[in-house]
Amino acid sequence: MKAKLIFITGNRGKFLEAQKLLKEFGIELEQVDLDITEPQADSLEEVVRKCAEEALKIVKENFIIDDSGLFIRSLNGFPGVYSSYVYKTIGYKGILKLLSDLTDRSAYFMTALAYGEPRGELKIFSGRVDGIITTEARGENGFGFDPIFKPLGSNLTFAEMSIEEKNKFSHRAKALRAFASWFMSKEKNLEQK
Ligand code: ITT
């Protein structure tokens, strides 16, 4: 069985990660960059739910959309839901500076992933990966904060990994797998009806 979905994102890196992972489940993905303004909210789930509700007014195909963030323990979870703004303003170099005197460098990445159907349901999945912020940037791959994040269980930063390797650890891959398992069993049930 083949399924086709759109991924609403302006971030090509996110799209390539999702495309590779969902292909394993037989789900084909197309990137659509809709200009949806990210609302301010206290959690990634709330942000992605509001974005998905906006998308439902515009798109006619079934879609996924993801909102992600980096949460640093010694900064009480900052930048969290403000990750996009922080990346655009001070970047990962700014984060390294903020942490320069701090010994606790633990952090996690989180993804809230929404799946929406124009005439059906809206469902949210999430994924988290724990790790540490490195003392210097390493690697050329990936995007965003990847050069300064090393997941637990690896000596490499996300930016030193291929997409396949990052997908073994990442917050996004976990959320996507949870979504894909649910989606495939739903499709199977529909086929049997
Ligand atoms: P869309 O909203 O168009 O999907 P975005 O890049 O704005 O793309 P987010 O709001 O979800 O995505 O991400 C917030 C910030 O966190 C942004 O600067 C990203 O580059 C960064 N980020 C998200 N996922 C990441 C990942 O897997 N690795 C490194 N940085 C990531």
Side-chain angles (χ1 to χ4, degrees), residues 9-11 14 38 67-68 87 143 145-146 166 171-172:
T9 179
N11 184 324
K14 277 187 185 180
E38 250 179 46
D67 193 50
S68 302
Y87 184 73
F143 61 91
F145 300 103
D146 279 346
K166 184 177 170 187
H171 47 311
R172 177 163 304 101

Side-chain angles (χ1 to χ4, degrees), residues 7-12 14 17 31 33-34 36 38 44 47 51 65-70 80-88 109-112 142-147 149 158 166 170-172:
F7 185 3
I8 301 171
T9 179
N11 184 324
R12 189 71 184 163
K14 277 187 185 180
E17 290 173 12
Q31 181 179 5
D33 184 4
L34 282 185
I36 296 176
E38 250 179 46
L44 296 176
V47 174
C51 289
I65 187 165
D66 127 356
D67 193 50
S68 302
L70 177 64
V81 290
Y82 307 108
S83 294
S84 183
Y85 181 70
V86 167
Y87 184 73
K88 279 187 218 142
F109 264 118
M110 181 94 184
T111 287
F143 61 91
F145 300 103
D146 279 346
F149 185 85
F158 274 161
K166 184 177 170 187
S170 89
H171 47 311
R172 177 163 304 101

Side-chain angles (χ1 to χ4, degrees), residues 42 70-82 95 98-99 102 104-108:
D42 291 339
L70 177 64
F71 296 75
I72 301 173
R73 180 147 61 172
S74 57
L75 303 179
N76 294 327
F78 183 82
V81 290
Y82 307 108
I95 295 288
L98 283 176
L99 291 187
L102 301 172
D104 181 359
R105 305 186 71 86
S106 57
Y108 64 89

